[in-house]
Amino acid sequence: MDNSANCKNYGVPIYGAGWVPSSALRSAVEPPADDEKDDGDKSSAPAPGNYVVLAGGGGEGNSGIRNALVVAQFNFDSNVLFDEPVAKEGTGGDLPYRMAIHPGGDGLICSMPKSCRWFDWDIQRADNLSLGLRSSERVLEPLQDVGQQLALTFNNEGSLLAVGSEDGKLRVFKWPSMEISLDEANAHASVKDLDFSPDGKFLVSVGSGPCRIWDVSKSTSVASLMKENDEIFGYCRFSPVIDENQVLYITTMRDQGGSISKWSTTTWKRIRSKRVVRDPVCAFNISPNGKLLAVGTIEGDVLIISSNNLQVQNVVKKAHLGLVTTLKFSEDSRALLSASMDSRVRVTIIKEEKKSGLSLWIVILVILIAIAVFYAANNGIIPLELNSTLK
């Protein structure tokens, strides 16, 4: 059993996880109004980004494992996940299978076996600030009795919500009105993953068959990205940086292992593919700064990969005892949250690659000196006695 300070077992198989956005905590850490101020010590205020929320449980039946949303705290300075959760919100007999946190800090949505439910942040300003969750009275009518949703995601502005179902239905809603913007009954046989482009113009969906690109404003499909040979598409993420080099990343599986492919977002053509791991990929994400990709495998390994050249930068072998169910980078891209059905949650601090420029210059200098010595010796500039010594 891993007893590392940055890895904890919270007793619940985890299916969804994420960092609590700083926007959700802003109201708690901002100073109170003048008439509310006191002389108390505010040093206990939680720092933005220090909380994670986890979703999971034992599912239906009498497994004895509670279905719940769990809030835990992480200390960046000491790289420690706190042993005890900050809060737990039970979900009864409904397993929270997928989760999407609103980027504006409004709350989060969870997909249950039959419907989707909304949860609000519960911030207490007593002696010490504390963060929890509470089931909202708000009912998302269009997402009641619709069956299991396998993918949930908001666009960057939090103005659109995309959901993809087990039966292949894809829908995009305006948030928070829940007005339907795109409704495709047969996007795939089953929708596996979704992601909005950073400007919110496009939505990518992955499921059986080709990967599809949707123009959200026109509510229509604009491209189908085809597989090569025996490829199976897995997960998808747009590069979060808006520039002329923006790309789409898609994980693929073949007999020889898991690969990542890069696609142009202007021509929708494949740029390149590279195998990164031998085992099947079961989780995927990209850092907010767009520099790193993260892959989780069915063997419990976590890999951190350069998005530029698709080179593996770091491997956490056996980060989890079972398959990795979810991966999320922190808002500042300096930590990676991973979780698994083994009930373990891990935070991996991202270590910057050390520049090797100095050592490279030393090597070049040594080579130049060797060339100079060889040239001088062969042209009689160096005495034979010294030449013999050098050799």
Side-chain angles (χ1 to χ4, degrees):
M1 185 66 184
D2 193 333
N3 294 316
S4 301
N6 66 333
C7 183
K8 290 293 183 288
N9 186 323
Y10 291 113
V12 175
I14 305 298
Y15 293 93
W19 295 86
V20 178
S22 55
S23 52
L25 297 170
R26 195 168 294 130
S27 61
V29 298
E30 285 176 349
D34 291 340
D35 58 349
E36 296 178 359
K37 288 181 179 179
D38 56 40
D39 297 326
D41 180 13
K42 301 301 181 184
S43 62
S44 60
N50 275 17
Y51 288 93
V52 297
V53 60
L54 319 163
E60 298 183 58
N62 299 314
S63 66
I65 301 176
R66 185 184 183 192
N67 297 313
L69 296 176
V70 177
V71 181
Q73 193 169 13
F74 177 74
N75 188 308
F76 273 102
D77 294 332
S78 58
N79 190 20
V80 171
L81 264 172
F82 285 60
D83 291 320
E84 294 298 323
V86 175
K88 278 189 177 183
E89 175 69 15
T91 58
D94 293 332
L95 171 68
Y97 183 62
R98 289 289 183 264
M99 179 183 72
I101 299 175
H102 190 273
D106 292 349
L108 61 87
I109 182 174
C110 281
S111 69
M112 308 295 184
K114 297 179 181 179
S115 302
C116 291
R117 288 170 57 184
W118 181 256
F119 293 83
D120 296 314
W121 301 115
D122 185 15
I123 299 175
Q124 303 294 328
R125 297 186 61 95
D127 295 334
N128 292 312
L129 290 171
S130 63
L131 177 71
L133 282 167
R134 62 174 181 266
S135 183
S136 175
E137 295 180 358
R138 179 182 183 184
V139 178
L140 305 176
E141 292 291 349
L143 295 176
Q144 299 303 298
D145 298 317
V146 291
Q148 182 72 70
Q149 305 300 298
L150 299 183
L152 303 167
T153 189
F154 286 100
N155 66 347
N156 283 349
E157 294 181 351
S159 59
L160 295 172
L161 169 67
V163 299
S165 72
E166 193 172 34
D167 62 8
K169 191 169 187 176
L170 170 64
R171 286 179 290 177
V172 176
F173 299 95
K174 295 180 181 178
W175 187 265
S177 68
M178 293 301 289
E179 176 186 347
I180 193 73
S181 177
L182 186 153
D183 191 351
E184 181 64 35
N186 298 295
H188 302 274
S190 181
V191 180
K192 185 174 183 180
D193 199 17
L194 298 168
D195 193 42
F196 281 101
S197 60
D199 58 6
K201 181 178 180 180
F202 297 111
L203 175 72
V204 56
S205 65
V206 170
S208 55
C211 172
R212 302 185 70 177
I213 307 298
W214 308 83
D215 187 316
V216 178
S217 62
K218 297 178 181 178
S219 302
T220 184
S221 175
V222 294
S224 292
L225 312 186
M226 305 306 294
K227 300 180 291 183
E228 291 182 351
N229 301 321
D230 59 343
E231 278 184 331
I232 298 175
F233 286 147
Y235 302 92
C236 53
R237 288 295 181 272
F238 279 101
S239 167
V241 181
I242 302 176
D243 59 23
E244 66 278 6
N245 299 317
Q246 188 185 49
V247 296
L248 169 66
Y249 299 93
I250 303 175
T251 66
T252 61
M253 272 302 303
R254 285 180 174 172
D255 290 341
Q256 61 266 41
S259 299
I260 297 175
S261 58
K262 297 174 70 169
W263 301 73
S264 166
T265 57
T266 53
T267 64
W268 302 116
K269 300 294 185 182
R270 189 189 300 245
I271 299 172
R272 65 171 299 196
S273 293
K274 180 178 175 61
R275 193 187 77 166
V276 295
V277 65
R278 293 182 179 180
D279 300 314
V281 172
C282 53
F284 181 61
N285 217 311
I286 187 169
S287 62
N289 63 14
K291 295 180 179 180
L292 298 172
L293 305 171
V295 162
T297 74
I298 63 171
E299 297 298 325
D301 299 337
V302 170
L303 293 82
I304 298 172
I305 301 161
S306 167
S307 63
N308 181 42
N309 55 22
L310 301 183
Q311 291 289 334
V312 176
Q313 291 188 184
N314 186 29
V315 179
V316 184
K317 295 290 291 182
K318 297 300 180 182
H320 298 275
L321 299 178
L323 62 87
V324 179
T325 52
T326 183
L327 294 165
K328 294 290 181 182
F329 283 94
S330 59
E331 285 184 317
D332 56 10
S333 302
R334 64 185 177 123
L336 176 67
L337 173 68
S338 61
S340 171
M341 290 178 63
D342 66 2
S343 303
R344 292 198 301 175
V345 179
R346 178 185 291 270
V347 177
T348 302
I349 298 296
I350 307 300
K351 297 179 180 178
E352 293 186 7
E353 283 190 303
K354 294 181 179 179
K355 302 296 183 180
S356 57
L358 180 61
S359 60
L360 178 60
W361 280 112
I362 292 175
V363 171
I364 293 174
L365 180 61
V366 170
I367 293 174
L368 290 175
I369 292 174
I371 293 174
V373 170
F374 177 80
Y375 176 81
N378 282 276
N379 286 273
I381 299 175
I382 299 178
L384 291 177
E385 294 83 3
L386 180 59
N387 185 27
S388 300
T389 301
L390 289 173
K391 289 182 179 180

